[in-house]
Amino acid sequence: MGNVTGKPTVHDIARVAQVSLATVDRVLNARSGVRQKTIDKVNSAIRELGYVRDTSAANLARQRQYSFTFVLPEGPGQFVDAIRSELRAAYASQIADRVTLNIISVATADPHAVVRKLSSLDLDQMDGIALLVPETPQIRDIVARLKQAGIAVIALASDLPNSERDFFVGVDSVAAGRTSGLLMGKFAATEGEIMVVTNSMRARDSLERRLGFDQVLQASFPHLTVLPTIESFDDPDRMEDLVFGMLIRKPRLVGLYSMGSGNLPVLRALRRSARAAELSVIMHELTQPTRTGLLSNEIDAVIAQNVGHLVRSALRVLRNLSDGHPIFEPQERIRIEIVMRENLPHLT
Amino acid sequence: MGNVTGKPTVHDIARVAQVSLATVDRVLNARSGVRQKTIDKVNSAIRELGYVRDTSAANLARQRQYSFTFVLPEGPGQFVDAIRSELRAAYASQIADRVTLNIISVATADPHAVVRKLSSLDLDQMDGIALLVPETPQIRDIVARLKQAGIAVIALASDLPNSERDFFVGVDSVAAGRTSGLLMGKFAATEGEIMVVTNSMRARDSLERRLGFDQVLQASFPHLTVLPTIESFDDPDRMEDLVFGMLIRKPRLVGLYSMGSGNLPVLRALRRSARAAELSVIMHELTQPTRTGLLSNEIDAVIAQNVGHLVRSALRVLRNLSDGHPIFEPQERIRIEIVMRENLPHLT
DNA sequence: TCATAAATGAGGAACGTACCTCAAGCAATA
DNA sequence: TATTGCTTGAGGTACGTTCCTCATTTATGA
């Protein structure tokens, strides 16, 4: 073979296929101007030799630089903060080799602001974009425009199913809601009512979680009655008051399901009411407040997704999309994690 | 900078530190024969420039080949089969770049056979080894000998805490047992008995899972009585008969906990008894039988670990150990997964 | 049959690092 | 001062792939 490792190289392919190195290169990199017959010759030589491209050498020679943009909701939010933090971590590691990241924040509540911000981006320098924004007609237009410009577009954490996005990296919210429903049904054995709270049902996630939650409870746990969703609309104090009021006024409550952000005021209300022990409490997203809640037995289970995995997955998918490579789906499927006190991952 | 990407290279370091390329190389690769003063100069240039080694180029130039050996229990076993399969998958992907894998099977029940097989290995060609074997005095000796030969040694899935292994990749079995206990306590609301089964309590995993399970049930769920562990000693028929007998003879049973391999005969016994609906059933390891059991509502929850993650983690750790690089612990911590019907990962 | 296009070959430079050799500079010690 | 050992410099080759140019051969259609 000539080389030290014994692994076949492009030279070996050329020799076996009886073509020149240039032709091997043309076939390997899917360049035009090669007859099908020659392509086949080269490919069978590749198979025969068991050739695998040396990615190190390829990366080095290619000098490929990926420019990816992440569009995240602005303002505080522990889930988004976790994404930011994991993006930084990935950036430092080898997973983000040869990529430059551009993280921008948008006021997702205002579709026009989102459009304005996204329209001002320089598309020439951009290879791919990950969007964590609610799906609106304007967003669909933007996605179409990005695709037109040849940019890889993925939806992050929250899908944009009616747009032309290339891929969705995240969990199925309906399934997450169904998982919560199943847990709630098994935890809350006695007849009673379930309180459901979220920040806003205008968010697709909350809608879908609620949908899944109801599906399972109706189908399998008829002894439980699910109350209408309480919404806080970004007002923590309002959330705390609403939840506290319900806890006081509803003696038949046996469960509490917090579907979105704003777990902290819910927990505060729960503490004030001193009813945590008699309720089955399920929340979404593993953050400092929910960790504490699990450890203090105020929360029975947290439904979470591994944000590190989410981010690394997004980067891998963006890279594969911009290279025109296929996506290894099983690896990019984010799991719906059930976290309880005893399987809580340690910090650091 | 001279290069396209704008990233600083070794040449930039040499220029800024006012030393030659050779000296930069000596410092970067910790070669001897450089004054401390010079080392400092180079290092501050590195910091100043924000230099990061181009791993692609380094790998290419180094032509480093890792030779890793995985020692797995022989014979059938769905967990071990899954490991094999994930090893093959990893081997095909970029995670196992530049590594040659050597997978050997040993009859773990016979310590002498294990010793014989491991003693016959060629240590010269070996950079690292991953062991999935029970801890015996003989194994401890072998580990010591491997370390002496400068080989990286990790325990896979099952720890060897009293040996000189460099690292353990796997989950804390006590915590896994505690998780099962917590779930069982919450699922089985009414007073009654819990049946616990495993292949053999001589396995450390089973012992520890049982320990954790009992801890939680005793501390938090006194209404449940845990029966002595039923062991099958590698005999599926015996297992099915034993479990079926218990299901018939014990009307007060409210839960069933299967701690190890041999879930299939347990499920068969459960089916024959037609008592699945009234019992809370928790099993370990996500395999075909347990998947089916979850979907048919015979199993309430499966405690699992992500075997793909386990294997990729092992490879990363072995590589870092043989390079003398630090290990990024959070990434290598395997999670204790709770899998139920609604968050069952799809197959491919 | 000739003009034209398509396909292929030959060769080389570049990517950034690792690793080697040989020579030269420097310092401390006898 | 001479000798020795330590430190540094200069320059090169190699890794396997990508990508480029230019020349040459082969196939295609008028």
Side-chain angles (χ1 to χ4, degrees):
Chain A
M1 305 257 176
N3 58 347
V4 183
T5 65
K7 284 176 57 176
T9 72
V10 282
H11 295 87
D12 298 310
I13 302 177
R15 189 171 31 74
V16 171
Q18 308 202 64
V19 297
S20 71
L21 213 57
T23 299
V24 174
D25 178 67
R26 289 180 183 114
V27 174
L28 274 178
N29 295 290
R31 283 184 247 281
S32 61
V34 187
R35 269 185 311 173
Q36 188 56 48
K37 208 176 142 188
T38 314
I39 294 180
D40 295 341
K41 261 204 303 188
V42 171
N43 279 329
S44 57
I46 288 175
R47 266 195 306 280
E48 183 185 328
L49 291 165
Y51 168 82
V52 280
R53 190 198 238 101
D54 184 318
T55 33
S56 290
N59 284 337
L60 179 60
R62 221 189 296 257
Q63 282 295 92
R64 179 79 156 97
Q65 277 291 106
Y66 304 87
S67 173
F68 295 147
T69 301
F70 278 68
V71 180
L72 305 176
E74 73 180 5
Q78 307 215 265
F79 182 62
V80 175
D81 288 347
I83 291 181
R84 285 206 169 79
S85 148
E86 289 291 348
L87 274 172
R88 276 194 299 273
Y91 202 52
S93 82
Q94 74 284 10
I95 185 83
D97 227 24
R98 293 173 199 287
V99 332
T100 43
L101 277 186
N102 180 22
I103 304 175
I104 68 175
S105 301
V106 296
T108 46
D110 178 3
H112 297 294
V114 176
V115 172
R116 234 176 298 129
K117 203 120 182 191
L118 289 182
S119 303
S120 70
L121 291 174
D122 180 9
L123 303 188
D124 292 339
Q125 311 274 31
M126 196 187 299
D127 298 300
I129 190 167
L131 297 171
L132 175 35
V133 294
E135 183 167 48
T136 62
Q138 293 92 333
I139 285 293
R140 283 197 280 272
D141 289 347
I142 294 231
V143 171
R145 209 182 316 156
L146 289 165
K147 286 309 304 167
Q148 206 114 48
I151 294 169
V153 180
I154 67 172
L156 183 67
S158 177
D159 198 5
L160 304 168
N162 300 311
S163 72
E164 297 174 31
R165 95 277 186 283
D166 296 294
F167 204 81
F168 166 55
V169 175
V171 304
D172 175 353
S173 290
V174 177
R178 290 182 61 93
T179 305
S180 306
L182 181 56
L183 270 175
M184 183 62 84
K186 289 196 182 286
F187 285 170
T190 62
E191 200 178 336
E193 296 170 330
I194 309 290
M195 169 161 54
V196 180
V197 303
T198 187
N199 182 49
S200 162
M201 284 299 272
R202 282 186 313 220
R204 162 186 297 276
D205 290 355
S206 292
L207 266 177
E208 292 182 343
R209 286 171 184 168
R210 170 84 206 216
L211 179 68
F213 191 76
D214 288 356
Q215 281 173 2
V216 171
L217 285 190
Q218 278 165 26
S220 308
F221 305 100
H223 65 283
L224 297 176
T225 310
V226 190
L227 301 177
T229 309
I230 296 176
E231 297 169 87
S232 71
F233 300 115
D234 284 317
D235 183 342
D237 295 334
R238 180 188 150 90
M239 174 67 100
E240 184 173 342
D241 291 347
L242 282 172
V243 173
F244 185 72
M246 291 283 283
L247 288 168
I248 298 295
R249 283 182 286 110
K250 294 276 189 179
R252 295 189 60 246
L253 275 181
V254 295
L256 168 55
Y257 178 36
S258 173
M259 295 193 302
S261 52
N263 288 322
L264 195 52
V266 177
L267 279 168
R268 271 203 286 262
L270 198 58
R271 262 163 223 157
R272 272 169 59 201
S273 77
R275 290 192 68 187
E278 53 184 297
L279 297 186
S280 294
V281 178
I282 298 178
M283 295 190 171
H284 273 271
E285 288 161 30
L286 191 61
T287 58
Q288 194 45 57
T290 54
R291 293 183 74 92
T292 310
L294 281 172
L295 290 171
S296 62
N297 284 321
E298 291 163 314
I299 303 177
D300 292 278
V302 167
I303 307 298
Q305 46 190 326
N306 188 325
V307 180
H309 188 181
L310 190 78
V311 163
R312 291 188 285 271
S313 203
L315 288 170
R316 269 195 304 268
V317 168
L318 280 176
R319 188 191 295 240
N320 284 356
L321 284 172
S322 19
D323 284 346
H325 290 334
I327 290 161
F328 184 50
E329 301 237 9
Q331 193 177 6
E332 315 308 353
R333 196 167 293 128
I334 316 296
R335 299 207 174 181
I336 299 168
E337 298 188 354
I338 301 172
V339 183
M340 298 174 68
R341 177 167 41 106
E342 302 298 347
N343 71 332
L344 193 57
H346 299 293
L347 281 179
T348 66
Chain B
M1 307 256 175
N3 58 348
V4 184
T5 65
K7 283 176 59 176
T9 72
V10 281
H11 295 87
D12 300 309
I13 302 176
R15 190 170 32 74
V16 171
Q18 308 201 63
V19 297
S20 72
L21 214 58
T23 299
V24 173
D25 178 67
R26 288 178 185 116
V27 174
L28 273 177
N29 296 292
R31 283 185 246 279
S32 60
V34 187
R35 271 185 309 174
Q36 187 57 46
K37 211 175 139 188
T38 314
I39 294 180
D40 295 342
K41 260 203 305 187
V42 173
N43 279 330
S44 55
I46 288 174
R47 267 194 305 279
E48 183 185 330
L49 291 165
Y51 168 83
V52 280
R53 194 197 234 100
D54 184 319
T55 34
S56 289
N59 284 339
L60 179 60
R62 220 189 295 257
Q63 282 294 92
R64 178 78 157 99
Q65 276 291 108
Y66 304 87
S67 174
F68 296 146
T69 301
F70 278 68
V71 180
L72 305 176
E74 73 180 5
Q78 306 215 265
F79 181 62
V80 176
D81 288 347
I83 291 181
R84 285 207 169 79
S85 148
E86 290 291 349
L87 273 173
R88 275 194 299 274
Y91 202 52
S93 84
Q94 74 283 9
I95 186 83
D97 227 25
R98 306 192 128 76
V99 332
T100 42
L101 277 186
N102 181 21
I103 303 174
I104 68 174
S105 300
V106 296
T108 46
D110 178 2
H112 298 293
V114 176
V115 172
R116 232 176 300 128
K117 202 120 183 191
L118 289 183
S119 303
S120 71
L121 291 174
D122 180 10
L123 302 189
D124 292 339
Q125 312 274 32
M126 198 187 297
D127 298 298
I129 190 167
L131 298 171
L132 174 36
V133 294
E135 183 166 48
T136 62
Q138 293 92 334
I139 284 294
R140 282 197 281 274
D141 289 348
I142 294 230
V143 172
R145 208 182 316 156
L146 289 165
K147 286 309 304 167
Q148 206 115 48
I151 294 168
V153 180
I154 67 173
L156 183 69
S158 177
D159 200 3
L160 305 168
N162 300 312
S163 72
E164 299 173 31
R165 93 276 186 285
D166 295 294
F167 203 81
F168 165 55
V169 176
V171 304
D172 175 354
S173 290
V174 178
R178 291 182 60 93
T179 305
S180 306
L182 180 57
L183 270 175
M184 183 63 84
K186 289 194 183 286
F187 284 170
T190 61
E191 199 178 336
E193 296 170 331
I194 309 291
M195 168 160 56
V196 181
V197 303
T198 187
N199 183 47
S200 162
M201 285 298 272
R202 284 184 312 220
R204 161 187 297 275
D205 288 356
S206 291
L207 267 177
E208 293 183 342
R209 285 172 184 168
R210 170 84 206 216
L211 179 68
F213 191 75
D214 288 356
Q215 281 173 2
V216 170
L217 284 190
Q218 278 166 25
S220 308
F221 305 101
H223 66 283
L224 297 175
T225 309
V226 190
L227 301 177
T229 309
I230 296 175
E231 297 169 87
S232 71
F233 300 114
D234 284 316
D235 183 343
D237 295 335
R238 177 189 152 89
M239 175 65 102
E240 183 173 343
D241 291 347
L242 282 172
V243 173
F244 185 71
M246 290 283 282
L247 287 168
I248 298 296
R249 282 183 286 107
K250 294 277 190 178
R252 296 189 58 246
L253 274 182
V254 294
L256 167 55
Y257 178 35
S258 174
M259 294 194 301
S261 51
N263 288 321
L264 194 52
V266 177
L267 279 168
R268 271 203 285 260
L270 197 59
R271 261 162 223 155
R272 271 169 60 201
S273 77
R275 289 192 66 186
E278 52 182 298
L279 297 186
S280 294
V281 179
I282 298 178
M283 296 190 169
H284 273 270
E285 288 161 29
L286 191 61
T287 58
Q288 193 47 56
T290 54
R291 293 184 74 92
T292 309
L294 281 172
L295 289 171
S296 62
N297 285 320
E298 291 164 313
I299 302 178
D300 292 279
V302 167
I303 307 297
Q305 47 191 326
N306 188 324
V307 181
H309 188 182
L310 190 79
V311 163
R312 291 188 286 272
S313 204
L315 288 169
R316 270 194 304 267
V317 168
L318 281 175
R319 188 192 295 241
N320 284 355
L321 284 172
S322 17
D323 283 346
H325 290 334
I327 290 161
F328 184 49
E329 300 237 8
Q331 193 176 7
E332 314 308 352
R333 194 168 293 129
I334 316 296
R335 299 208 174 182
I336 299 168
E337 298 187 355
I338 301 172
V339 183
M340 298 175 66
R341 177 168 40 104
E342 301 298 347
N343 70 332
L344 193 57
H346 298 293
L347 280 178
T348 45

